[in-house]
Amino acid sequence: MIRRNGQPVFVHGRYGARPVRAFTLLEVLVVVAIIALLAAVLLPSLQQARVQSRRVACGANLKQLASGWQQYLDAHKGRFFRGPADANLN
């Protein structure tokens, strides 16, 4: 409760007078310090999760490429397309 000259300060509103409550500077600094500490603890783990997700996405892309090549080779009797000279192979 905020005090002025040893007496509590009141705010007069629609429902009558009520005491004013406010945070002290020390309380605000403690909360900011706790938030900074939590952020410092969590950021490395978030970075590791980001790296792991990139690895998984890269593996999925490689699997898609291999699957596409395999389907192409199956459809073209195991031959790679080398250019216009191979266009007439049946």
Side-chain angles (χ1 to χ4, degrees), residues 3-88:
R3 294 185 178 270
R4 188 175 298 147
N5 297 329
Q7 298 296 321
V9 176
F10 290 92
V11 174
H12 299 281
R14 182 186 306 180
Y15 302 110
R18 62 179 175 83
V20 174
R21 295 206 34 112
F23 294 109
T24 64
L25 179 61
L26 182 63
E27 291 171 333
V28 172
L29 290 176
V30 167
V31 170
V32 169
I34 290 172
I35 291 171
L37 182 66
L38 289 173
V41 169
L42 292 176
L43 285 179
S45 63
L46 291 176
Q47 181 64 24
Q48 290 173 355
R50 189 176 296 124
V51 168
Q52 183 65 23
S53 69
R54 287 182 184 146
R55 285 185 190 143
V56 169
C58 184
N61 289 340
L62 289 173
K63 184 177 178 182
Q64 286 287 349
L65 283 170
S67 176
W69 275 112
Q70 188 61 48
Q71 290 176 7
Y72 178 86
L73 292 174
D74 289 344
H76 294 90
K77 302 175 186 171
R79 293 184 176 180
F80 287 106
F81 181 76
R82 289 187 216 112
D86 287 345
N88 295 326

